[in-house]
Amino acid sequence: MKGQCFSRRRFLKSAAKGAAIAPFIPLVQVASAQDLPQLGESEPTAVALGYKHDATQTAAPESRTCANCMLYSGVPDAAWGPCQIFPGKVVAAAGWCSAWAARP
Ligand code: SF4
């Protein structure tokens, strides 16, 4: 019984620590994304995939932008964010490339 109480106390302490730092995790992600350089439209991989900062300048259907692509991990309302296709760079939320994939 004493062991269970100790175990529960440890769990509650760990949960409290997690809850305490959780609000700061998105800030860390924003800060690191802001530090990344923007993908250039003329970079070879961007050209190969037809990437543009402005999706309206592409043949993409109107509703498809980086902001609603499964491979995009920018925070909501951010103008730029990371994309799995272009590691180490950020892409425009309003952009698009031919690797666009629907979110499940
Ligand atoms: Fe944008 Fe998706 Fe292409 Fe990345 S893969 S550049 S998020 S459309």
Side-chain angles (χ1 to χ4, degrees):
M1 190 68 167
K2 187 175 182 181
Q4 285 180 335
C5 184
F6 178 72
S7 176
R8 190 171 74 193
R9 186 176 304 143
R10 285 182 64 180
F11 170 77
L12 291 173
K13 276 186 175 179
S14 296
K17 286 179 187 171
I21 64 167
F24 299 104
I25 291 173
L27 294 177
V28 171
Q29 288 174 339
V30 169
S32 61
Q34 287 175 341
D35 293 340
L36 296 174
Q38 296 177 355
L39 175 69
E41 291 180 345
S42 60
E43 293 183 35
T45 310
V47 171
L49 294 174
Y51 170 82
K52 296 289 181 192
H53 299 317
D54 180 357
T56 64
Q57 304 299 309
T58 70
E62 196 172 303
S63 61
R64 294 183 181 181
T65 64
C66 294
N68 60 25
C69 175
M70 183 176 71
L71 302 168
Y72 182 76
S73 58
V75 296
D77 300 327
W80 296 81
C83 164
Q84 293 177 32
I85 297 292
F86 302 103
K89 302 283 176 91
V90 287
V91 298
W96 178 86
C97 86
S98 60
W100 184 93
R103 292 184 183 208

